[in-house]
Amino acid sequence: MFPNLLIFILAYFFILISLLGYGLAFSNIFLKNKNFNNIGYLGLLGIFTLIIYSYLSNFFIAHTKIHNLILLLLGFIFFCVFFNKDKVFFRQNIYLTLIIFSLIFISILIFKSHDDFPYYHFPYTHYLTEQNSIIGIGKLNHGFRTPSSLFYLNSLFYIPILDYNLFNFGQIYILGFGNIILIKKINNNYLSLKKNFTNFNIINFLSLLSFIFINIFFYRIAEHGTDRSAQILIFIFIIKIIYLLIKKKNYSIQIINILLLLSLIISLKAFYILYIIFLLSIFIFFILETKNFKKALQVFISNSFIIWFILMLNLVLLSYFFNTGCLIYPISFTCFQNLSWTISTSEIKLMNQWYELWSKA
């Protein structure tokens, strides 16, 4: 029993380090080493990187044990390489990160998996480890019609010895990094309040309220399907937008964080694509600030993360399209009925009504 638990613990923290390694690599290579002063965002960036890779690689290969082990080892190496470039940053964050993820690890041992895990979470993730992308798989199982980036991320945690035992780790890391983001924000606001109480604002209140809400209502891992992870990120997403509108500084890094959060939210469940409307409020804000439409547009277009956001969005829509013949299932007007693998219109409309009743319930 003890050796198995020790291996489980080592794998848990090994993947954590690998995620941070990919976050560091992405930041240094593609974002021109943007200064992420919150290690939570760095972790989410690592998750984003592996999700992008998982979507792309699955078009050609299955995520086998050896493939995944090499991939995670590469992330570990990235961490070791880039760690030496910013030792001070990690020394400031190492204890908080270890405490948060150690506490969350206890919850893994206590709680069972989500109720939908045996229905379609596990089968879909398992399918990704045995097959490359198969067109029309949505006809085989209803659960295969609503793919989530969590399944693609978790499929990369299929490694030797532990096999399928890490298939629900994706939501654990999102919960952990989300908590770190909020704790760092609360701590920074607390230090500001000590200097001047008049600095208290809605950002302080929302950060504290979100942290309390998440850890009271979302602490049970058994409830973390694809919705909970997205909802945790939505709290942070809204706070980040309000922060941008109030503080009016560091536009480039703030937009990167906002696009990072939004891309992950949409990838977890495609109907969250409605949250793109919040980008409109930011765009209007930039128009009012610059008093120039072209300059406001340039703020978005010139941002180094916009291409990756569009790539993630297209990969999510492609996964739905190849599974169901719809860009977003079960929205009938996004479906292509002339394709052999498209779900029938009557069934799509029936499921649309069912989802509406389910969400209202």
Side-chain angles (χ1 to χ4, degrees):
M1 175 63 183
F2 179 74
N4 292 336
L5 179 60
L6 181 60
I7 293 171
F8 196 62
I9 294 171
L10 290 175
Y12 175 70
F13 285 103
F14 170 68
I15 294 173
L16 172 63
I17 293 172
S18 184
L19 289 173
L20 291 172
Y22 275 108
L24 284 166
F26 192 102
S27 176
N28 280 270
I29 297 171
F30 298 111
L31 301 182
K32 300 177 182 178
N33 197 20
K34 293 292 183 181
N35 182 25
F36 284 88
N37 58 4
N38 192 317
I39 197 170
Y41 283 112
L42 201 61
L44 291 181
L45 188 61
I47 289 175
F48 174 88
T49 306
L50 284 186
I51 289 173
I52 288 285
Y53 172 81
S54 185
Y55 273 121
L56 290 172
S57 62
N58 188 246
F59 289 132
F60 311 102
I61 58 174
H63 298 154
T64 62
K65 291 180 182 179
I66 301 302
H67 165 271
N68 294 344
L69 185 60
I70 293 172
L71 185 69
L72 294 174
L73 279 171
L74 186 60
F76 189 89
I77 293 170
F78 282 144
F79 180 84
C80 295
V81 170
F82 292 109
F83 173 82
N84 291 322
K85 293 185 177 181
D86 203 349
K87 290 182 179 179
V88 176
F89 171 75
F90 283 102
R91 285 172 183 167
Q92 293 172 344
N93 290 275
I94 188 67
Y95 294 113
L96 174 62
T97 305
L98 286 175
I99 290 170
I100 291 297
F101 280 97
S102 295
L103 290 172
I104 293 176
F105 181 79
I106 297 172
S107 68
I108 299 174
L109 303 178
I110 295 173
F111 298 109
K112 66 179 183 67
S113 299
H114 189 266
D115 290 341
D116 285 339
F117 185 76
Y119 170 46
Y120 75 100
H121 292 194
F122 177 83
Y124 199 108
T125 308
H126 187 208
Y127 144 70
L128 295 173
T129 66
E130 293 197 331
Q131 298 283 345
N132 58 331
S133 182
I134 299 175
I135 294 177
I137 198 170
K139 284 185 174 291
L140 302 180
N141 184 319
H142 172 71
F144 281 58
R145 300 176 188 179
T146 53
S148 170
S149 61
L150 265 182
F151 309 152
Y152 285 85
L153 176 64
N154 285 330
S155 70
L156 300 178
F157 302 153
Y158 175 59
I159 57 178
I161 301 176
L162 289 162
D163 295 333
Y164 315 116
N165 291 305
L166 312 182
F167 272 9
N168 59 351
F169 268 28
Q171 43 268 59
I172 304 297
Y173 293 118
I174 291 175
L175 174 63
F177 290 129
N179 267 303
I180 290 174
I181 290 171
L182 292 172
I183 289 172
K184 295 286 287 184
K185 178 67 70 176
I186 292 167
N187 182 59
N188 292 339
N189 291 337
Y190 172 71
L191 295 175
S192 178
L193 283 174
K194 286 180 70 176
K195 295 179 182 178
N196 185 355
F197 187 76
T198 58
N199 289 332
F200 184 84
N201 55 44
I202 192 172
I203 303 298
N204 306 24
F205 175 75
L206 287 177
S207 299
L208 183 59
L209 182 63
S210 298
F211 175 76
I212 294 171
F213 185 90
I214 288 169
N215 289 285
I216 289 177
F217 293 97
F218 293 174
Y219 76 94
R220 285 175 293 188
I221 302 303
E223 294 180 354
H224 281 245
T226 56
D227 295 278
R228 284 286 187 267
S229 296
Q231 288 163 9
I232 290 168
L233 297 180
I234 287 170
F235 280 113
I236 302 170
F237 174 69
I238 298 299
I239 291 171
K240 180 57 67 174
I241 289 178
I242 296 173
Y243 179 86
L244 173 67
L245 300 180
I246 292 177
K247 297 296 183 180
K248 302 179 182 180
K249 62 181 182 180
N250 299 327
Y251 288 150
S252 179
I253 189 66
Q254 300 303 331
I255 291 176
I256 288 175
N257 288 338
I258 287 170
L259 292 176
L260 169 63
L261 290 166
L262 184 58
S263 59
L264 288 173
I265 290 166
I266 294 172
S267 73
L268 290 166
K269 212 151 198 177
F271 67 72
Y272 286 124
I273 198 171
L274 294 171
Y275 281 82
I276 285 181
I277 196 171
F278 283 99
L279 295 181
L280 179 62
S281 65
I282 300 174
F283 182 60
I284 293 173
F285 164 76
F286 283 133
I287 292 177
L288 296 176
E289 281 290 298
T290 61
K291 295 180 173 59
N292 187 306
F293 179 85
K294 289 184 178 180
K295 284 184 178 180
L297 187 62
Q298 187 67 23
V299 174
F300 274 99
I301 294 176
S302 62
N303 191 279
S304 54
F305 200 80
I306 191 69
I307 295 174
W308 296 100
F309 172 74
I310 294 172
L311 175 61
M312 175 69 92
L313 191 61
N314 281 306
L315 288 172
V316 171
L317 296 179
L318 270 177
S319 68
Y320 272 81
F321 176 71
F322 285 142
N323 284 15
T324 66
C326 306
L327 294 178
I328 301 177
Y329 180 87
I331 302 177
S332 57
F333 71 82
T334 69
C335 301
F336 298 82
Q337 290 300 328
N338 57 333
L339 301 175
S340 60
W341 69 89
T342 303
I343 311 299
S344 66
T345 303
S346 59
E347 189 172 356
I348 291 171
K349 290 181 178 179
L350 180 65
M351 290 311 302
N352 195 2
Q353 292 174 357
W354 164 249
Y355 278 126
E356 184 177 345
L357 293 172
W358 172 82
S359 61
K360 289 177 179 179

